[in-house]
Amino acid sequence: MRAKHIYLIKHGETEENLRGIHQGRAVGGRLSERGRTDIRGVGKRLVSAGVTVDRMLVSPMSRCRESADLLTATLRPTEIRVDERLAAKDSGYLGGRPRELAAAEAARHGVPIQRFRTPGGESSEDVQARYVDLWEEISTGPEQTTVLVGHGGGIACLLLWLTGNGFDQYLQHVHGSARVTWVEVGVTGPQIRLMNASPADLADLLDGRTDR
């Protein structure tokens, strides 16, 4: 059995990130100049490392779709489509408001921010269930190489599940903008080859790795 390769990529930095806005599902977001540059760099470095992509699945949020468009220009996946399971967390009334408000609200309710659920919104456990459902589908599918373009929180939730860690380790697994995790799935199960790698580090970390 040939190993499968799955790349988890967080969207590039957004203008809202620079303003300290908690976007969630309420704000689609627009990439900053740095965000666009970083994502282009990710695509170029993956291609230089010999990565060929069978399928790219993308969050419906505009910040992810814009990132995917820039990645597609170089990676040229055979298939690209939006998957709702990759969407950002539904943060209810906190979406589009200052980031520090989310932390303050969680503290007011006496729970860690990753466990806080606004009325009608989602908890991180809910987000994890969506990402894991998608993971189980793609990790057993026919495609050899898949790229997922999603959100830092969602990727963190998936990594916690893959590594067997609890939500007390959540913040240590949250991706920075345009960061990449590479998971290889073989007969012994998933193995994380790279985690939360920056665009600048990818060239060295992937040097000499082809057919990935």
Side-chain angles (χ1 to χ4, degrees):
M1 170 180 140
R2 294 185 68 190
K4 298 179 186 297
H5 303 277
I6 301 171
Y7 294 85
L8 314 174
I9 303 177
K10 183 186 174 182
H11 62 80
E13 178 190 77
T14 66
E15 297 289 350
E16 290 78 11
N17 291 152
L18 295 175
R19 291 160 47 206
I21 297 298
H22 175 71
Q23 295 166 99
R25 204 179 296 191
V27 179
R30 179 179 179 182
L31 297 190
S32 66
E33 182 176 350
R34 175 179 177 179
R36 291 189 293 273
T37 298
D38 284 347
I39 285 292
R40 288 190 187 100
V42 168
K44 290 175 181 177
R45 288 175 176 89
L46 289 175
V47 168
S48 295
V51 174
T52 57
V53 180
D54 299 310
R55 177 173 57 177
M56 184 182 292
L57 303 180
V58 186
S59 160
M61 313 308 299
S62 57
R63 56 192 181 273
C64 289
R65 288 188 283 109
E66 185 178 358
S67 297
D69 286 344
L70 295 171
L71 289 168
T72 299
T74 50
L75 291 175
R76 303 188 183 282
T78 304
E79 175 192 358
I80 180 169
R81 65 177 171 84
V82 168
D83 195 302
E84 294 289 337
R85 289 170 289 185
L86 288 170
K89 180 179 179 180
D90 184 347
S91 299
Y93 66 86
L94 294 173
R97 304 182 74 179
R99 184 171 295 279
E100 58 266 23
L101 179 61
E105 283 290 273
R108 185 168 69 85
H109 285 80
V111 295
I113 189 168
Q114 64 269 19
R115 295 192 181 277
F116 181 54
R117 177 189 287 159
T118 58
E122 292 181 296
S123 68
S124 291
E125 287 89 345
D126 297 326
V127 176
Q128 185 180 64
R130 291 195 273 109
Y131 270 67
V132 169
D133 181 65
L134 178 58
W135 173 269
E136 292 182 331
E137 178 182 303
I138 64 175
S139 63
T140 58
E143 290 81 9
Q144 185 186 358
T145 303
T146 302
V147 169
L148 303 182
V149 183
H151 303 271
I155 293 172
C157 289
L158 177 56
L159 288 174
L160 290 177
W161 181 79
L162 287 171
T163 58
N165 284 299
F167 277 92
D168 57 319
Q169 298 294 312
Y170 173 81
L171 294 178
Q172 288 86 346
H173 289 76
V174 174
H175 270 39
S177 297
R179 295 292 182 108
V180 180
T181 287
W182 165 29
V183 185
E184 183 176 350
V185 183
V187 292
T188 59
Q191 297 185 50
I192 297 174
R193 298 301 192 189
L194 294 178
M195 185 183 288
N196 202 17
S198 71
D201 291 338
L202 274 180
D204 290 336
L205 293 172
L206 293 171
D207 184 39
R209 297 177 183 270
T210 59
D211 193 26
R212 297 291 189 269

